Amino acid sequence: VDADFGPNSIARAKTYAPSTSATKPETSTPKPETPVAAPTLKSYKIDVDLTNQIATVYGVYSDKSVKPIMSEFVSTARQGKTTPVGNWKIQGSKNLKAKYRTAKLSGGKSYAEYLVRFKGAKCMHMVPYSSRNTSGKVSKTEFNKLGTPRSAGCVRMPAKMIRYIYNNCPLGTPVRVFKGKSGEYPMGKP
C-alpha cells in the first residue's frame, strides 16, 4: 500500500489469479496502536526552602506527575524576622489583593514589582527598590543578596521567577514554606 509501483510490480499484479479454494488465506492485520497523549500541565505548586534559600516552581500534570519547572536562589527573613513555615496558598487577605504589579512595601520606604501574597502580609516579590521603579532595571545590590536571609519576612525572588509565578500561578496555588536539608536542591544548585 505504501510502496511505489514500477514495471515489475505491474507485471506481477497481472499474474495474480483469485484463489479457487473454499477457504480464504489467513491474514493478520496488526491493530493500530492508540497514541498516548502527552500529559498536560494542569496546575502549579511552589516550594520555598528556608535552609537553602531557594524556591522551586513545580508543574502538576494530568497524569498526576509533579515535575520541577524552575528553581532559583531567594532571600527570606533575616535574623529577628520570620518567614512563616507551613502550607499556604496564593490568596488575598483582608482588604488586600493577592497580586500587585507594583506595590509599596510595609513602612513605605521601598517598592517591589510582581508581588504575590501567600500568608497575610507575607508575599513573594522581586527584589525591592528604594523608589518606584519605572525603568525596569533590577537593583544589582539587592539582586546580589539573593541566596541569603535578608528580608523582613517576605520571599524576595529574581525577576524571571516571580514574573513567571505572577503570570501563571492562579489564586489557590499551594505554597509550602519549610526547612529543608542543607545542600538539597531539586534541580541542582541554582
Side-chain angles (χ1 to χ4, degrees), residues 99-184:
K99 294 182 178 186
Y100 291 88
R101 174 59 180 83
T102 303
K104 187 179 272 193
L105 298 176
S106 62
K109 295 179 182 175
S110 60
Y111 294 84
E113 294 189 42
Y114 303 104
L115 185 137
V116 178
R117 192 172 307 286
F118 66 91
K119 167 80 169 100
K122 301 304 181 196
C123 309
M124 298 174 280
H125 57 75
M126 207 159 86
V127 295
Y129 298 88
S130 58
S131 63
R132 191 175 183 92
N133 178 39
T134 56
S135 64
K137 293 182 180 175
V138 173
S139 166
K140 189 186 294 185
T141 303
E142 291 301 322
F143 180 82
N144 287 335
K145 292 177 184 176
L146 292 173
T148 59
R150 296 284 184 187
S151 80
C154 289
V155 181
R156 297 176 181 181
M157 297 181 160
K160 175 183 173 183
M161 175 172 261
I162 191 59
R163 214 179 283 141
Y164 186 89
I165 291 169
Y166 182 90
N167 290 323
N168 295 290
C169 298
L171 296 180
T173 298
V175 178
R176 179 176 71 129
V177 180
F178 67 101
K179 293 180 180 179
K181 292 181 182 175
S182 184
E184 195 171 77

Side-chain angles (χ1 to χ4, degrees), residues 40-45 58-62 69 168-170 173-174:
T40 56
L41 181 62
K42 291 293 190 185
S43 62
Y44 297 91
K45 72 178 206 163
Y58 292 90
V60 181
Y61 293 84
S62 56
I69 294 173
N168 295 290
C169 298
T173 298

Side-chain angles (χ1 to χ4, degrees), residues 48-127:
V48 177
D49 179 348
L50 300 176
T51 304
N52 295 295
Q53 293 291 295
I54 62 166
T56 306
V57 177
Y58 292 90
V60 181
Y61 293 84
S62 56
D63 65 354
K64 301 201 185 330
S65 63
V66 178
K67 298 175 186 165
I69 294 173
M70 71 173 63
S71 190
E72 298 284 347
F73 280 120
V74 298
S75 287
T76 60
R78 63 186 176 266
Q79 189 170 357
K81 300 293 181 177
T82 304
T83 301
V85 172
N87 294 307
W88 317 110
K89 60 185 172 182
I90 294 176
Q91 62 185 355
S93 64
K94 188 177 181 180
N95 301 324
L96 297 171
K97 296 188 317 185
K99 294 182 178 186
Y100 291 88
R101 174 59 180 83
T102 303
K104 187 179 272 193
L105 298 176
S106 62
K109 295 179 182 175
S110 60
Y111 294 84
E113 294 189 42
Y114 303 104
L115 185 137
V116 178
R117 192 172 307 286
F118 66 91
K119 167 80 169 100
K122 301 304 181 196
C123 309
M124 298 174 280
H125 57 75
M126 207 159 86
V127 295

